[in-house]
Amino acid sequence: MSGNIELLNTTLAATRAADRAALIAYLPAGFPTVDGGIEAVKAVIEGGADIVEIGLPHSDPVLDGPVIQTADDIALRGGVRIADVMRTVREAHEATGVPILVMTYWNPIDRYGVERFTAELAEAGGAGCILPDLPVQESALWREHAEKHGLATVFVVAPSSQDARLATITAAGSGFVYAASLMGVTGTRASVGAQAQDLVGRTRATTDLPVCVGLGVSNATQAAEVAGFADGVIVGSAFVKAMLDAPDEAAGLAAVRSLAGELAEGVRKR
């Protein structure tokens, strides 16, 4: 069975045709529980997210700040497994028809088996993977299997990436390019900063792929700012924090649905 890279491509093309950025939401699988995590994904889509990234919880998430680390810890203590990540992708996609990607560090895939992981993700209806710590020069095996199964390979670029390096990364990627707005870990911030706009411009000079910005966006004003120069606005920690701060699961679902609505309005006001 083929994955949903084409659905991802058409979704991003449709938001561009509508003269707006896509809203891309991130939530970890298994948080607060596997079932609760699936409902949270549905809630952010109901609120207005165009695309969702499902985080595969990891004990040492080097790109993630304390908020997502806390959620990952809850998921891992709850016994989440890769099978639960695949179930989250499957049930969220079947319920909504929205493209769903997995964001994961390389070690779990390497241990699970690249062919097994890509085949199962495609069978679940996944659109691809975001791989923040897989060096492009070591990615040939992954890309071979991802292409075979119709999955996007999304690489991360950073403000420190030199232009030649950007060209190498974007040439190997598919779906979109994840532009980290600043050097550091995920988390909400008062300002996204000018570094992100410069990085988007330099990245676009190397590729026709959409360039989507993550790290730091937490409210509608910031979403509108980033939507003014990026093809997509990626929000993770703000959704996770809304779930963590809620007194119970129902309140958490209401909070992420409401936040998605505010952010969806923001990306339309660029």
Side-chain angles (χ1 to χ4, degrees):
M1 179 173 176
S2 181
N4 273 313
I5 185 173
E6 285 308 316
L7 176 62
L8 176 65
N9 292 341
T10 57
T11 298
L12 288 164
T15 56
R16 178 179 283 182
D19 194 30
R20 69 172 179 89
L23 174 59
I24 305 175
Y26 166 95
L27 286 165
F31 167 73
T33 62
V34 176
D35 288 342
I38 292 168
E39 292 307 311
V41 175
K42 294 177 185 177
V44 297
I45 294 168
E46 289 165 6
D50 300 292
I51 298 163
V52 176
E53 304 172 9
I54 303 297
L56 195 161
H58 195 278
S59 58
D60 185 24
V62 294
L63 184 68
D64 296 310
V67 170
I68 292 175
Q69 286 184 25
T70 298
D72 277 6
D73 187 57
I74 291 168
L76 292 168
R77 289 175 184 271
V80 71
R81 295 290 183 266
I82 288 178
D84 300 311
V85 177
M86 299 299 179
R87 181 187 154 210
T88 301
V89 172
R90 177 181 292 105
E91 294 192 13
H93 175 65
E94 287 179 350
T96 66
V98 163
I100 312 286
L101 300 101
V102 170
M103 184 164 185
T104 178
Y105 299 98
W106 179 245
N107 180 258
I109 295 177
D110 192 38
R111 294 186 64 178
Y112 198 72
V114 176
E115 169 59 21
R116 180 184 178 194
F117 189 95
T118 52
E120 289 184 8
L121 182 56
E123 191 276 330
C129 254
I130 301 162
L131 302 159
D133 67 340
L134 177 63
V136 171
Q137 63 269 26
E138 297 176 21
S139 68
L141 178 65
W142 163 266
R143 289 187 285 125
E144 174 191 340
H145 289 287
E147 185 173 353
K148 179 171 74 171
H149 290 291
L151 299 169
T153 298
V154 179
F155 289 114
V156 179
V157 297
S160 61
S161 302
Q162 299 297 312
D163 291 351
R165 179 67 177 163
L166 287 175
T168 299
I169 293 170
T170 59
S174 56
F176 64 91
V177 182
Y178 187 125
S181 66
L182 40 74
M183 301 303 295
V185 297
T186 59
T188 61
R189 288 176 171 82
S191 174
V192 179
Q195 278 188 317
Q197 186 166 1
D198 174 70
L199 176 59
V200 169
R202 292 194 298 118
T203 304
R204 280 192 176 141
T206 71
T207 183
D208 291 329
L209 288 173
V211 183
C212 304
V213 171
L215 273 67
V217 177
S218 61
N219 58 51
T221 300
Q222 291 173 331
E225 176 192 354
V226 173
F229 57 81
D231 298 295
V233 179
I234 303 169
V235 181
S237 294
F239 285 120
V240 176
K241 188 174 188 300
M243 293 285 289
L244 285 170
D245 290 348
D248 54 49
E249 189 174 305
L253 295 177
V256 296
R257 187 180 295 108
S258 175
L259 177 59
E262 294 169 14
L263 293 164
E265 284 187 24
V267 300
R268 288 165 172 79
K269 290 179 180 176
R270 62 185 192 175

